[in-house]
Each structure stands twice: as structure tokens, then as C-alpha cells.
Amino acid sequence: SELPEEFLSWTAMRQPDGNAQGELSFYGLYNETQQAGFSGYDMAGGLKESLSYAQEQADILYDSISAFLLDSSAADPAACEEYGNQALELYQLWDSLLNRAWDILKQTEEPDAMEALTVRQRQWITEKETAAAEAGAAYADESLRDIAENLKAAEMTRERVYELAELME
């Protein structure tokens, strides 16, 4: 509440709505003479904001793809390609957030804890790949198999992203 308007004007887009205490949610330094400054960034908080947006987008994609798979008898090659691209997009959405979470953990966790987490992450990758292959095995059609595999991989990756986000709290 005591910061000059010049500082607040370029930090406002990063400030959460309705901060009743008049406090920034991040660190900031401001040189009044030069009217210049910089601010910190809460990596874990940024990830949580991204998770919220990603979940909204993922829900839309997942509902569309799931309905298609349930009615796969009506699938034509063009539809398979479209939904295949959506399933891949869904997986890539969660995989990018997984990589972002992993980068944050590498910067914030102690080396011993990170080493143990890395061992567990490698196990999880094997489990994800096995489960995705099993999900795809139910389909004789290669396009439908790819869709099912990407859906399963996306589902497991989403769960893992939330698990890693909890470690940051």
C-alpha cells in the first residue's frame, strides 16, 4: 500500500486479485530515484496457476476424446486423425507441466531428496509406459490404439504432476 504507483503499474498483472492486506505476493525492490525495480517470482505458485488452466483445457479435450472412443465403430480416418491429435495434445499438455514441476523441484529440493525422487520418477515412467501400452492393446486399429495410449499416459501424467506439486507445499 506504500509503494509508488510506478512500481505497482508494472507489477499489477502478477498481483493476485483482492489482496486485502495490501501486500505483494512476491518480493520486489524499487529504486525511487531511478524509478526502476524488479520483482521475484513464486515458481510453485506459478505452477499452481498453470495447473488450474491446464485442468480446464484437459477436461474439454478428455471429454471429447472419450466420447469418440466409446463410439469408435463410427470412426473414419479423418476423425481418427483429429482425435489422435487431440489425445497427443492432451498428453503433451500434462507432460510439459510435469517437466516444469521437475525443473522447480531440481531448484528447490535438497540433493539427497532429489536423488530419491529421481529413482521414484524412473519407476513411475516405466509404470506409465506399461499402463499406456495395456490401454492401447484393447484396440486392433492402430489409430485408436494410439489415442488410448496417449489418453492413459495423459491421465497418469496429470496425476503425477499433482503429486509433484504437493511436494512443493
Side-chain angles (χ1 to χ4, degrees):
S1 62
E2 296 176 21
L3 290 170
E5 188 59 39
E6 294 82 15
F7 179 83
L8 295 173
S9 68
W10 58 266
T11 60
M13 71 177 114
R14 293 188 35 221
Q15 181 67 14
D17 296 328
N19 187 332
Q21 287 78 35
E23 298 174 354
L24 297 175
S25 61
F26 49 85
Y27 291 103
L29 293 175
Y30 184 72
N31 181 322
E32 291 178 343
T33 305
Q34 301 274 328
Q35 293 186 345
F38 64 92
S39 59
Y41 179 69
D42 176 14
M43 294 183 291
L47 179 68
K48 286 181 182 180
E49 290 174 13
S50 296
L51 279 174
S52 177
Y53 173 77
Q55 188 62 58
E56 291 173 14
Q57 298 306 307
D59 288 345
I60 294 166
L61 287 169
Y62 187 78
D63 290 345
S64 173
I65 298 163
S66 295
F68 170 75
L69 280 177
L70 291 174
D71 188 28
S72 60
S73 61
D76 64 62
C80 283
E81 183 177 351
E82 176 187 342
Y83 288 102
N85 289 337
Q86 286 183 12
L88 180 60
E89 180 184 344
L90 181 63
Y91 171 66
Q92 290 172 338
L93 171 76
W94 290 114
D95 191 54
S96 69
L97 283 172
L98 178 77
N99 291 327
R100 186 168 164 196
W102 194 257
D103 287 342
I104 293 168
L105 288 167
K106 286 193 306 189
Q107 295 177 46
T108 58
E109 292 294 311
E110 294 294 325
D112 290 342
M114 197 62 206
E115 188 175 320
L117 190 56
T118 300
V119 169
R120 177 64 191 116
Q121 186 70 5
R122 288 182 180 135
Q123 292 170 342
W124 174 83
I125 290 169
T126 301
E127 293 167 9
K128 176 191 71 168
E129 290 171 351
T130 300
E134 289 172 359
Y139 296 91
D141 182 81
E142 185 178 347
S143 297
L144 295 176
R145 186 172 45 247
D146 289 345
I147 293 170
E149 288 176 0
N150 279 322
L151 275 180
K152 185 62 175 178
E155 175 189 328
M156 291 183 72
T157 303
R158 178 188 59 79
E159 291 170 4
R160 186 66 175 158
V161 168
Y162 279 101
E163 289 172 9
L164 294 178
E166 283 181 26
L167 292 176
M168 293 176 206
E169 293 180 3

